[in-house]
């Protein structure tokens, strides 16, 4: 997805994304997990990225599609650090789904910024710190040594995301997502 392109309803990119997500959602029995990826994050503690008009348009136009088609995970880069969110339901405020800070049957997408790829074999140290606050979307922040994301879908119910350090392969963060019923998420408030 291109956050700097025309994302308005009816645009080429919007029509493509809507059709692609509809095709994926129509076959959830075969492909239960839906993952989307693009360049700049919609949610990140580095709020400077959130104020760009193109990012706001991207968020306003595409997030309703993510709810409609039940997108499970959203990946972005751009910010050269790592961050993961709790499931987000109110896209105008970043409010959590029912205030829940867990990954059991989430009612909204989880956003991961995995923008600290670094150079393979770098000697840096990847540090992870908790950024959770009651009702806040940020779960953990990471920086340093260079890392990548690894997804393992064990079955239609359990998916694991791991944040893996380039130098040595240590897993510095892990999320286990359990979704018993894939499909559309409830409408925003």
């Amino acid at each position: 997805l291109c956050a700097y392109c025309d994302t308005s309803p009816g645009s080429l990119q919007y029509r493509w994304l809507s059709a692609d997500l509809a095709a994926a959602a129509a076959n959830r029995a075969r492909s239960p997990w839906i993952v989307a990826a693009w360049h700049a994050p919609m949610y990140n503690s580095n709020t400077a990225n959130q104020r760009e008009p193109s990012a706001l348009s991207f968020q306003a136009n595409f997030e309703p599609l993510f709810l409609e088609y039940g997108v499970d995970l959203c990946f972005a880069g751009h910010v050269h650090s790592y961050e993961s969110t709790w499931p987000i339901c109110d896209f105008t405020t970043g409010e959590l789904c029912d205030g829940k800070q867990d990954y059991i049957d989430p009612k909204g997408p989880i956003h991961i910024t995995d923008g600290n790829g670094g150079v393979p074999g770098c000697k840096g140290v990847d540090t992870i710190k908790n950024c959770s606050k009651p009702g806040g979307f940020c779960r953990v922040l990471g920086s340093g040594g260079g890392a990548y994301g690894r997804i393992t879908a064990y079955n239609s119910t359990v998916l694991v995301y791991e944040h893996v350090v380039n130098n040595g392969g240590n897993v510095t963060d892990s999320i286990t997502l359990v979704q018993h019923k894939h499909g559309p998420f409830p409408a925003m408030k």
Side-chain angles (χ1 to χ4, degrees):
L1 298 174
C2 172
Y4 300 102
C5 301
D6 182 4
T7 62
S8 62
S11 70
L12 181 62
Q13 184 171 206
Y14 184 94
R15 290 191 321 263
W16 168 81
L17 179 61
S18 184
D20 194 59
L21 291 175
N27 200 5
R28 288 307 272 266
R30 183 169 183 216
S31 301
W33 299 101
I34 297 180
V35 177
W38 58 90
H39 181 73
M42 288 184 185
Y43 293 100
N44 193 277
S45 295
N46 182 346
T47 57
N49 294 304
Q50 311 310 93
R51 296 184 188 122
E52 296 177 23
S54 58
L56 295 173
S57 173
F58 183 81
Q59 181 179 1
N61 293 325
F62 285 169
E63 284 194 306
L65 291 177
F66 297 160
L67 279 179
E68 179 181 349
Y69 296 111
V71 173
D72 299 291
L73 287 170
C74 299
F75 285 94
H78 184 68
V79 178
H80 291 214
S81 63
Y82 169 69
E83 184 169 334
S84 66
T85 71
W86 298 107
I88 298 174
C89 281
D90 187 332
F91 299 136
T92 58
T93 65
E95 188 175 321
L96 303 179
C97 307
D98 297 332
K100 287 177 52 177
Q101 290 183 322
D102 69 43
Y103 298 110
I104 307 299
D105 294 319
K107 295 179 182 174
I110 293 137
H111 293 257
I112 296 176
T113 303
D114 214 349
N116 68 340
V119 178
C122 66
K123 305 264 188 244
V125 176
D126 192 54
T127 58
I128 302 290
K129 65 180 182 178
N130 185 326
C131 58
S132 285
K133 298 177 197 163
F137 67 79
C138 186
R139 179 183 153 269
V140 297
L141 295 167
S143 63
Y148 61 93
R150 177 171 56 207
I151 298 172
T152 305
Y154 287 97
N155 53 42
S156 64
T157 306
V158 178
L159 179 144
V160 173
Y161 168 82
E162 296 173 309
H163 187 68
V164 184
V165 178
N166 291 344
N167 183 22
N170 292 331
V171 174
T172 58
D173 188 37
S174 179
I175 296 169
T176 300
L177 176 57
V178 177
Q179 187 64 275
H180 291 97
K181 185 175 185 269
H182 293 278
F185 291 122
M188 292 182 282
K189 296 178 187 180

